[in-house]
Amino acid sequence: MGEIKDIEVNHGAAASPDGSRIYVSNEADSTLDVVDVKTLTVIKKIRLKGHPNNISIGKDGSRGDVAIAEPPGAVDIIDTASLTLVNIVQIKGAGHNTYVAP
């Protein structure tokens, strides 16, 4: 148990499959914050298209999807190896949840 500092308004959180990272959607900064589990420090803030909601991480851990609630809505696709935004999928309406299907 511990405290992750430097995230003012978190919304969603998801762990990497190997347990080394926690991904947190940061509403205050419109970022996906990447946290090192051992130190509980933010190691990277990935700028998103807009105000984020919930997150899902793929089974193999290579990709993260972040729902964007700001109109017109989107799902931001994150490459977890490079910790960069690699694609934006437009949706109709505000996004809130993302899910990974088999």
Side-chain angles (χ1 to χ4, degrees):
M1 183 165 291
E3 179 182 356
I4 301 169
K5 297 183 181 192
D6 301 324
I7 302 176
E8 186 178 337
V9 183
N10 66 300
H11 187 97
S16 62
D18 67 2
S20 66
R21 294 179 178 162
I22 300 170
Y23 300 93
V24 181
S25 57
N26 182 333
E27 292 181 344
D29 296 337
S30 292
T31 57
L32 180 66
D33 295 355
V34 183
V35 177
D36 178 272
V37 170
K38 289 181 183 176
T39 63
L40 294 180
T41 58
V42 176
I43 58 171
K44 175 87 178 201
K45 288 181 171 277
I46 303 167
R47 174 77 41 212
L48 300 170
K49 179 186 183 317
H51 183 84
N53 276 164
N54 288 322
I55 306 159
S56 58
I57 303 297
K59 250 185 167 177
D60 67 359
S62 67
R63 182 178 117 174
D65 301 334
V66 184
I68 302 299
E70 240 176 85
V75 176
D76 285 4
I77 311 299
I78 306 299
D79 174 13
T80 59
S82 64
L83 299 178
T84 57
L85 173 65
V86 293
N87 199 3
I88 298 170
V89 178
Q90 297 296 321
I91 60 174
K92 292 183 180 183
H96 191 268
N97 296 319
T98 60
Y99 299 96
V100 176

